[in-house]
Amino acid sequence: MGSPKALIEIDGRTMAQNAAELLRRFCSRVIEVGPGYTDLEHVLEDQPGAGPLGAFIAGSAMLDEGTPLILLACDMPDVGDGLIGALVNHQSEQSVVPFADGQLQTLCARYSARARGLAPAVWESGGRSMRSLLDNCDVEILNEADWEPFSERFAFNDLDTPEELQAYLDRRSRS
């Protein structure tokens, strides 16, 4: 993108601010993993840029042991209250991950206390992706029929390139 995605503004607010506000509506404690793009409590990764699992471990270490963790990447601006509420209120001992667009949506998911405990060992064995963590724990998959009533059709579109950002802004201006 040429600059941090967290600082991209949509409707006068950064994507980081939008994600923070969404999570605050549902979670008693919200932590930014990063340099402090929001007014949230924040923590830096031990190895910035080494992959999402490192960020997960850093954020997880800030939370009480034994509690689940809701992970939301800031570059998914269409995730809304319904989907986050469904993840927060889901009654499962397993990690809960939506499935959409042919893949697990690991950056908008609920991770179990067990997954949080396993994460450092997965990291030490060379895993860097959230998928590598999920390969080592029990997962409940939310299929489209499970999450679609709670969310917009484009909820899992993430904005990774200038072209994706422009397409997103164009779609918003048409609706």
Side-chain angles (χ1 to χ4, degrees):
M1 286 287 214
S3 64
K5 291 188 279 185
L7 297 178
I8 293 171
E9 286 193 19
I10 297 173
D11 297 333
R13 294 174 51 102
T14 67
M15 288 202 295
Q17 290 169 324
N18 288 332
E21 181 58 34
L22 173 60
L23 291 170
R24 275 187 176 128
R25 290 196 288 272
F26 294 93
C27 302
S28 59
R29 187 165 183 206
V30 181
I31 298 166
E32 172 190 331
V33 178
Y37 292 130
T38 66
D39 62 349
L40 294 173
E41 176 180 7
H42 66 278
V43 62
L44 293 173
E45 304 159 67
D46 286 338
Q47 297 178 16
L53 187 58
F56 176 86
I57 291 168
S60 183
M62 302 289 292
L63 300 173
D64 292 336
E65 194 173 311
T67 60
L69 178 150
I70 302 295
L71 175 66
L72 176 62
C74 70
D75 66 350
M76 301 173 98
D78 284 331
V79 171
D81 285 0
L83 181 55
I84 295 299
L87 290 170
V88 167
N89 295 315
H90 201 80
Q91 301 297 313
S92 178
E93 295 292 319
Q94 300 175 322
S95 294
V96 180
V97 183
F99 184 83
D101 302 326
Q103 61 187 350
L104 290 174
Q105 300 297 322
T106 60
L107 299 181
C108 177
R110 175 188 174 111
Y111 288 88
S112 67
R114 184 171 189 287
R116 287 181 54 205
L118 290 171
V122 172
W123 176 270
E124 289 300 319
S125 71
R128 296 297 181 260
S129 69
M130 297 311 295
R131 183 60 198 225
S132 63
L133 174 60
L134 292 174
D135 288 344
N136 289 279
C137 62
D138 294 330
V139 179
E140 181 177 336
I141 296 173
L142 288 182
N143 289 307
E144 191 169 342
D146 298 318
W147 60 260
E148 190 176 52
F150 305 114
S151 188
E152 292 186 13
R153 183 174 145 224
F154 300 105
F156 298 109
N157 286 350
D158 61 339
L159 306 179
D160 291 327
T161 67
E163 294 79 17
E164 289 171 346
L165 174 61
Q166 189 58 55
Y168 172 79
L169 294 172
D170 291 346
R171 187 179 79 235
R172 285 178 53 94
S173 70
R174 288 191 302 268
S175 46

